[in-house]
Amino acid sequence: MHFSITVALAAFPFLVGAVPAHNSRDNLLSIPLSKRWLSQSSDNGSAPGNISLTATNRTFSWAGTIQVGTPSKEYSVVFDTGSADLLLFGPSCPTCQGHDIYDPSQSSTANDLKTPFNFTYSFGNLTGDVFTDSVAVGGFKVSNETLGVISITGANYNATNFGADGVLGMGFKGLSLYNSSSVFETLVNGSQLPEPVVGMVLADSNPELIVGGRDSSRYKGDLVYTPVDTNNTDLWDTTLDVIDSGRPLILGDRESIANIYAGIPGSSRLNVTDPKQNPLWTYPCNTTVNASIVISKTSFNIPSENFNYTTIGGGLCTGVFAEFVADIEDPGFWVLGNGFLRNVYTELDYGKLQIGFGQLA
Ligand SMILES: *[C@@H]1O[C@H](CO)[C@@H](O)[C@H](O)[C@H]1NC(C)=O
Ligand SMILES: *[C@@H]1O[C@H](CO)[C@@H](O)[C@H](O)[C@H]1NC(C)=O
Ligand SMILES: *[C@@H]1O[C@H](CO)[C@@H](O)[C@H](O)[C@H]1NC(C)=O
Ligand SMILES: *[C@@H]1O[C@H](CO)[C@@H](O)[C@H](O)[C@H]1NC(C)=O
Ligand SMILES: *[C@@H]1O[C@H](CO)[C@@H](O)[C@H](O)[C@H]1NC(C)=O
Ligand SMILES: *[C@@H]1O[C@H](CO)[C@@H](O)[C@H](O)[C@H]1NC(C)=O
Ligand SMILES: *[C@@H]1O[C@H](CO)[C@@H](O)[C@H](O)[C@H]1NC(C)=O
Ligand SMILES: *[C@@H]1O[C@H](CO)[C@@H](O)[C@H](O)[C@H]1NC(C)=O
Ligand SMILES: *[C@@H]1O[C@H](CO)[C@@H](O)[C@H](O)[C@H]1NC(C)=O
Ligand SMILES: *[C@@H]1O[C@H](CO)[C@@H](O)[C@H](O)[C@H]1NC(C)=O
Ligand SMILES: *[C@@H]1O[C@H](CO)[C@@H](O)[C@H](O)[C@H]1NC(C)=O
Ligand SMILES: *[C@@H]1O[C@H](CO)[C@@H](O)[C@H](O)[C@H]1NC(C)=O
């Protein structure tokens, strides 16, 4: 089976329509937002190489701070494995109020490529201009990184509705909206990182991104690696060996999801009226669900409390395993979202084109 890991597409749904090759990503449009991700605290004193992450408001995603421009200014960005571009809200955007705005006229190193971008999405268009400027991530600096400065959004992305100043895509150039390498690819291509890897700890406790190395204090045992599908180097997608019974927002086709909940007494499928919503399933909250996902012959457990996605009343919870939206037919394809990733240490290896997973320490 085939899967793609993703961190943040739900946060910036209009990015999804850009995907040329894997239309399966469309199902990420409507991962329901969960308030459980509100008000995570971040720790401040991160060493160079480490970025402390914070759960953003009303999004199932994680944000951290980067520095852009000269003099450099700080922006909080969602780290998104499912896209490849750095996008920041620009000064002329009426639906981006309340954010730290990237204003190229205030940066002496900003370079206007005179290239507008207009992308059409079902969720509303995205319009802006492409610039290059210096960008620093975890203490590593790229002097001339391509970034999109957003001037018009189809939806309201003001600071109340969206808890970050932009998005930093961690995918590959093949996924870029304007054919440019992502920040981490640029760092790796320039041999600027001690090791060409980025680690993600998306746990509730001290979530962080580890740039250019691995922090073995955050996982137990060795990392288990699985190769990225190099037939189509854009997303972080790879091969999944087995899915055990049990399971966590992890998306699969309708039949596979139904099979999972068949093993949980009292579970039932929720009807959705919006065809862009991922159908969720409910189950009795007092059920202990032993879920695990097997990758490269290693089982990664999802604790029962993390199987619980939301509580809907009447003793019922929704589970983190959900269906793709109705029009996606790609049997055997899975998307491992935060419902899975919050339980593991994840390493994106840009050098060997593989993904490593470890059990959190
Ligand atoms: C982080 O910094 C903010 C202000 O910059 C401060 O209020 C907060 O206490 C700090 N948190 C920690 C964990 O040091
Ligand atoms: C990241 O932070 C941890 C704990 O603060 C520290 O042990 C580790 O060395 C840091 N890693 C890097 C690459 O700075
Ligand atoms: C964002 O927009 C909402 C309406 O959608 C409004 O209630 C809120 O005050 C706005 N917040 C900011 C920071 O502009
Ligand atoms: C993009 O959209 C803007 C505003 O809607 C418009 O002014 C501009 O001409 C468009 N550019 C292209 C290349 O379509
Ligand atoms: C989005 O873009 C398409 C094609 O450029 C255009 O036809 C449509 O009117 C735009 N929608 C909005 C809401 O601007
Ligand atoms: C930065 O990149 C742009 C296009 O990629 C190029 O036009 C410009 O000359 C570059 N600037 C520097 C300082 O390398
Ligand atoms: C998150 O939302 C709460 C209210 O829902 C608000 O008080 C808080 O300021 C928001 N925080 C951020 C970082 O947007
Ligand atoms: C993307 O850029 C590369 C050079 O960096 C070029 O060879 C390729 O043709 C470009 N692709 C598109 C679709 O523009
Ligand atoms: C790449 O494509 C070939 C031929 O279509 C296929 O056999 C192989 O499994 C693919 N590799 C991956 C990692 O999906
Ligand atoms: C769900 O939808 C189906 C058909 O669309 C309908 O027959 C069924 O009664 C609905 N179930 C609930 C619980 O609303
Ligand atoms: C499920 O998660 C919600 C918060 O999202 C929490 O309020 C509830 O207690 C949890 N239920 C169980 C059974 O863990
Ligand atoms: C779970 O709660 C239901 C009622 O909501 C009850 O009938 C059932 O016995 C409970 N199961 C367990 C294992 O506590």
Side-chain angles (χ1 to χ4, degrees):
M1 276 180 283
H2 199 220
F3 72 86
S4 176
I5 64 165
T6 186
V7 176
L9 281 173
F12 243 37
F14 46 65
L15 290 178
V16 175
V19 177
H22 297 278
N23 68 350
S24 312
R25 293 175 74 241
D26 287 347
N27 57 56
L28 295 168
L29 284 173
S30 51
I31 294 171
L33 309 181
S34 169
K35 286 187 178 143
R36 75 204 284 168
W37 296 98
L38 287 173
S39 65
Q40 292 284 325
S41 64
S42 65
D43 81 65
N44 295 347
S46 60
N50 289 5
I51 301 176
S52 298
L53 298 176
T54 313
T56 61
N57 255 13
R58 299 173 196 215
T59 64
F60 209 75
S61 56
W62 297 92
T65 303
I66 62 169
Q67 292 78 34
V68 182
T70 310
S72 81
K73 288 175 121 182
E74 300 211 319
Y75 300 90
S76 125
V77 291
V78 166
F79 287 95
D80 179 14
T81 56
S83 65
D85 295 304
L86 174 58
L87 290 167
L88 295 172
F89 297 122
S92 64
C93 176
T95 50
C96 313
Q97 302 300 306
H99 291 294
D100 287 327
I101 295 291
Y102 172 74
D103 183 350
S105 74
Q106 302 299 307
S107 171
S108 64
T109 42
N111 176 22
D112 189 348
L113 298 186
K114 309 269 192 242
T115 311
F117 59 85
N118 283 8
F119 303 112
T120 308
Y121 304 108
S122 56
F123 274 77
N125 296 354
L126 176 65
T127 299
D129 296 285
V130 183
F131 283 75
T132 60
D133 206 336
S134 69
V135 175
V137 183
F140 300 100
K141 190 169 170 182
V142 174
S143 63
N144 199 18
E145 180 64 23
T146 306
L147 65 106
V149 183
I150 296 167
S151 54
I152 304 174
T153 64
N156 187 347
Y157 276 92
N158 77 17
T160 309
N161 296 337
F162 187 72
D165 307 318
V167 170
L168 188 149
M170 303 171 80
F172 299 99
K173 182 174 178 174
L175 200 56
S176 169
L177 301 172
Y178 24 76
N179 195 26
S180 93
S181 60
S182 62
V183 176
F184 291 120
E185 278 182 300
T186 308
L187 284 167
V188 167
N189 293 343
S191 304
Q192 281 178 267
L193 300 182
E195 286 188 75
V197 299
V198 177
M200 299 191 294
V201 180
L202 306 180
D204 293 346
S205 169
N206 297 323
E208 66 175 339
L209 204 69
I210 299 117
V211 182
R214 58 188 65 82
D215 187 345
S216 58
S217 72
R218 303 297 314 258
Y219 58 89
K220 291 181 268 194
D222 292 327
L223 298 180
V224 169
Y225 290 93
T226 177
V228 165
D229 178 358
T230 48
N231 289 342
N232 214 325
T233 312
D234 46 15
L235 288 163
W236 287 95
D237 41 7
T238 172
T239 301
L240 185 65
D241 291 347
V242 183
I243 291 259
D244 249 353
S245 69
R247 314 330 146 85
L249 220 36
I250 295 168
L251 300 173
D253 62 80
R254 182 167 179 162
E255 191 185 342
S256 302
I257 296 297
N259 286 337
I260 287 162
Y261 286 98
I264 304 177
S267 60
S268 85
R269 184 176 187 265
L270 272 182
N271 278 350
V272 290
T273 45
D274 180 351
K276 293 194 178 75
Q277 287 251 313
N278 296 97
L280 291 168
W281 282 67
T282 65
Y283 69 101
C285 292
N286 63 5
T287 313
T288 300
V289 182
N290 292 313
S292 61
I293 286 187
V294 178
I295 297 167
S296 295
K297 300 187 171 64
T298 302
S299 180
F300 294 94
N301 297 324
I302 294 113
S304 193
E305 66 266 26
N306 288 356
F307 185 88
N308 169 20
Y309 178 52
T310 57
T311 304
I312 62 169
L316 292 178
C317 284
T318 59
V320 290
F321 274 91
E323 289 172 24
F324 289 143
V325 292
D327 56 343
I328 303 299
E329 286 300 330
D330 195 352
F333 184 76
W334 290 86
V335 173
L336 298 186
N338 283 345
F340 175 69
L341 297 176
R342 64 189 299 218
N343 303 293
V344 294
Y345 184 102
T346 307
E347 179 173 285
L348 306 178
D349 186 338
Y350 291 84
K352 297 196 181 114
L353 294 177
Q354 58 185 5
I355 307 175
F357 293 107
Q359 215 62 260
L360 281 180

